[in-house]
Amino acid sequence: MAATENMKLELQSAILEEAIGQRLLDGKREPCEIPCADFDARPGDTLFKLVVLPGQESVLTLHVALPCYDQLLQHGGAECLETTYSGMVSQPEPGYSVALSANADETSSPEDLLSKLVLVKRNLMGAPFQKAFSSLAAGTAKDLPVARLPWRKNESVYIVAGNDPAMPSNWDRVTIVFSVDFPEESDRAYCRIFLQQLQDVGRKVNNAPPVVFSEAKEPPLEIRDTCTESPLIVGFVSFTIFDHHVKTPAKLAKTIDNLIGFRNYLHFHIKAAKTNLHMRMRRKVNSWIQIVNRAIMTADKPKDMKTSSGKTFTRK
């Protein structure tokens, strides 16, 4: 993908990784209730809560709230729970979508269990991508319906396989369309500039998925019949994935990781750009203050006054 590695965010929550790692790898056994949120969490976004009950200090239960859980189950999430999290699904608390339980004293591979738990959001949200890309590699992507995942307020992700009989030339690709919006006008302006530059730079990167940004005057052709977003959002950005982007397990995993982390990466890039701008403004103000300090006016000395005879006197 066109994202730079030095600004790539990790997909897992550092808070969960530390708390669960202490119990799985370091042998910590004590009750806890640790709620935390995903990057840039707002009402309705992804939430986590790790619960260890008194008297059951070896049993870890991770409650997860996902904004589009029902849609995820329809497009590969149910299969992910049956395979990756087999035997771990339990009853979630009110307000949460799913709960995963595991006994730290009974696991044969603490490292694998830690990876499964901290990457639960990546695995569940990546299930529709996994399903579409696996079908793409197998040549059956045209048989998949359009998957719409409303995973943020006023924003959705559309996974469009080449399923249009009138366009058989598109059967060799999967198009991922993000509808993007920000509540603040300054962030919206930054977003437009960044996505336009991403589209331009993407053309210069060899073998990168084509990137297309369009403002929200009209949805892209691929989702025109299924789009429900307001025409007042910032716009749509599309990534076209071909089979050579997902032909190996490593490429498949990297492509899914980059797509899932794209929205957070976009937000992080905007925050970093604003921080850089503010730092430059502060440096400029400091330089102006130094100039003003060096320009202190000195008081004029009184001129010597002389009489007609040449004598000098000072006026009081």
Side-chain angles (χ1 to χ4, degrees):
M1 303 288 288
T4 54
E5 294 295 331
N6 61 338
M7 291 186 65
K8 182 179 178 182
L9 299 176
E10 297 295 335
L11 295 175
Q12 70 271 20
S13 167
I15 298 175
L16 283 183
E17 188 172 25
E18 179 182 0
I20 299 176
Q22 290 176 346
R23 288 158 175 80
L24 291 178
L25 306 180
D26 302 335
K28 184 178 182 179
R29 297 291 183 270
E30 64 179 30
C32 72
E33 183 173 324
I34 304 175
C36 61
D38 192 30
F39 180 84
D40 181 41
R42 298 176 299 176
D45 288 348
T46 303
L47 299 174
F48 304 100
K49 183 164 75 169
L50 177 65
V51 177
V52 177
L53 298 176
Q56 300 178 350
E57 286 78 4
S58 62
V59 179
L60 288 70
T61 302
L62 178 62
H63 300 269
V64 185
L66 296 174
C68 52
Y69 183 69
D70 294 337
Q71 291 83 353
L72 292 174
L73 293 181
Q74 297 174 10
H75 298 285
E79 291 83 350
C80 177
L81 291 176
E82 293 176 0
T83 55
T84 306
Y85 299 100
S86 177
M88 298 175 60
V89 180
S90 60
Q91 183 66 32
E93 293 183 358
Y96 290 86
S97 307
V98 64
L100 304 173
S101 297
N103 194 315
D105 294 337
E106 297 178 357
T107 178
S108 59
S109 179
E111 293 81 4
D112 291 344
L113 180 57
L114 174 62
S115 178
K116 289 181 181 180
L117 290 176
V118 299
L119 290 176
V120 58
K121 177 189 173 183
R122 186 272 179 205
N123 293 334
L124 287 177
M125 287 195 164
F129 297 95
Q130 179 86 29
K131 183 177 181 179
F133 296 153
S134 298
S135 299
L136 175 63
T140 59
K142 61 183 176 61
D143 299 327
L144 297 178
V146 175
R148 174 181 174 270
L149 308 177
W151 63 5
R152 293 176 65 89
K153 184 179 180 181
N154 299 330
E155 299 181 39
S156 299
V157 180
Y158 297 85
I159 303 175
V160 186
N163 60 352
D164 188 353
M167 303 176 65
S169 60
N170 291 344
W171 289 359
D172 62 342
R173 69 198 68 181
V174 173
T175 303
I176 311 298
V177 182
F178 291 83
S179 60
V180 181
D181 194 25
F182 285 89
E184 297 182 8
E185 186 56 39
S186 60
D187 289 349
R188 294 165 66 91
Y190 275 103
C191 180
R192 291 188 186 95
I193 295 172
F194 173 76
L195 293 178
Q196 289 169 356
Q197 292 180 345
L198 181 66
Q199 175 179 265
D200 297 337
V201 172
R203 299 191 182 106
K204 304 176 184 178
V205 180
N206 293 331
N207 297 322
V211 182
V212 177
F213 169 65
S214 58
E215 296 192 21
K217 297 177 181 178
E218 191 170 340
L221 182 61
E222 294 89 349
I223 62 171
R224 193 160 298 172
D225 296 333
T226 57
C227 180
T228 61
E229 270 64 44
S230 167
L232 300 179
I233 65 173
V234 173
F236 300 89
V237 57
S238 305
F239 298 90
T240 303
I241 309 299
F242 295 95
D243 56 354
H244 65 269
H245 294 130
V246 295
K247 64 181 179 180
T248 64
K251 287 186 175 182
L252 174 62
K254 183 177 180 180
T255 300
I256 295 175
D257 289 349
N258 288 334
L259 289 170
I260 292 176
F262 169 73
R263 183 56 176 76
N264 286 350
Y265 166 75
L266 173 61
H267 201 139
F268 180 73
H269 183 93
I270 291 174
K271 296 298 183 184
K274 294 172 71 173
T275 300
N276 179 265
L277 178 61
H278 293 167
M279 291 174 62
R280 292 174 59 187
M281 292 171 62
R282 285 193 291 268
R283 286 196 297 266
K284 193 64 176 178
V285 170
N286 289 335
S287 68
W288 287 341
I289 292 176
Q290 292 175 3
I291 293 174
V292 171
N293 291 337
R294 290 196 299 266
I296 297 176
M297 301 295 292
T298 58
D300 293 336
K301 295 181 178 179
K303 295 181 180 180
D304 293 337
M305 303 186 68
K306 296 182 179 181
T307 64
S308 60
S309 61
K311 294 182 179 180
T312 302
F313 72 95
T314 302
R315 185 188 299 272
K316 291 184 178 180

